[in-house]
Amino acid sequence: MIRKRLGKSPAERGCMSNENCPDVFEMADGNFAVIGREATGPLRGHLPSDAKLGPNERIVVVDRQVLLQAAMDMPRD
């Protein structure tokens, strides 16, 4: 379950459409969920050799400003 949003909401960031409105959430179990632009295809071949992408994993791109704002709300423990 989602516990809370980290950073500003899409509306607060000026996103008024359903296109490209990334978001970051803290989950009840302490993990994080991210809404971003799916970029597995174009980026898969550019991963470092020691990075592994599991069959149920995708590469997601999140705007820098969204992630920096979310980082300010992330728990430090």
Side-chain angles (χ1 to χ4, degrees), residues 20-25 32-44 47 52-54 56-64 66-67:
N20 194 24
C21 294
D23 226 334
V24 181
F25 303 95
F32 299 94
V34 177
I35 297 173
R37 183 173 37 87
E38 205 282 327
T40 304
L43 295 179
R44 182 189 304 264
L47 291 171
K52 305 299 177 204
L53 190 62
N56 293 326
E57 295 177 323
R58 302 292 178 265
I59 300 171
V60 178
V61 175
V62 178
D63 296 345
R64 177 181 177 81
V66 171
L67 199 54

Side-chain angles (χ1 to χ4, degrees), residues 2-77:
I2 292 175
R3 181 184 301 165
K4 65 179 182 176
R5 169 181 281 115
L6 302 176
K8 295 180 180 179
S9 72
E12 290 174 301
R13 295 190 318 270
C15 181
M16 300 303 186
S17 70
N18 289 333
E19 298 179 32
N20 194 24
C21 294
D23 226 334
V24 181
F25 303 95
E26 182 179 358
M27 308 295 289
D29 64 4
N31 288 318
F32 299 94
V34 177
I35 297 173
R37 183 173 37 87
E38 205 282 327
T40 304
L43 295 179
R44 182 189 304 264
H46 298 282
L47 291 171
S49 61
D50 60 346
K52 305 299 177 204
L53 190 62
N56 293 326
E57 295 177 323
R58 302 292 178 265
I59 300 171
V60 178
V61 175
V62 178
D63 296 345
R64 177 181 177 81
Q65 201 58 34
V66 171
L67 199 54
L68 291 175
Q69 290 173 1
M72 290 188 270
D73 289 346
M74 287 186 182
R76 304 291 182 225
D77 54 346

